[in-house]
Amino acid sequence: NDNIAPTLRGSFAVYGENHGRPVFRKGALDIFVYYWDERDGDPFCGWWFGPKVGGDQVWAYNSEKSQVPPSSGWRVPYDGPVDTTFVVQQVSIQAAAQQQQAPQQQQQQQ
């Protein structure tokens, strides 16, 4: 968990759609958040973090069937216990841009 969670943290933007829900991508990296429906059985249904939409390699899982990724209840790693410190938060495009600019502005001031 200590190795996986930092990789997953950061801002994601809508990238497309899968199984009737939005897919999110972290910048230009191959880190996606996507929904998988019941077609492969209930144990596979829910929200996933992985390097490919629908791929075999995954890092985090949440069984919620919500329209957007749930804020809490994530298993990180996907087959581990719920990580209560891992939170998914929806922010506006403007807020995400401000978060990305803040570290750049701090670096320029130094």
Side-chain angles (χ1 to χ4, degrees), residues 24-40:
F24 301 88
R25 183 177 186 184
K26 183 177 179 181
L29 302 174
D30 287 335
I31 301 175
F32 298 92
V33 182
Y34 64 92
Y35 181 80
W36 197 261
D37 65 17
E38 299 92 353
R39 69 186 66 198
D40 293 325

Side-chain angles (χ1 to χ4, degrees), residues 55-77:
D56 291 339
Q57 182 182 5
V58 292
W59 300 306
Y61 169 69
N62 192 305
S63 62
E64 294 258 344
K65 297 178 181 177
S66 53
Q67 291 297 312
V68 295
S71 61
S72 61
W74 288 91
R75 296 181 180 278
V76 185

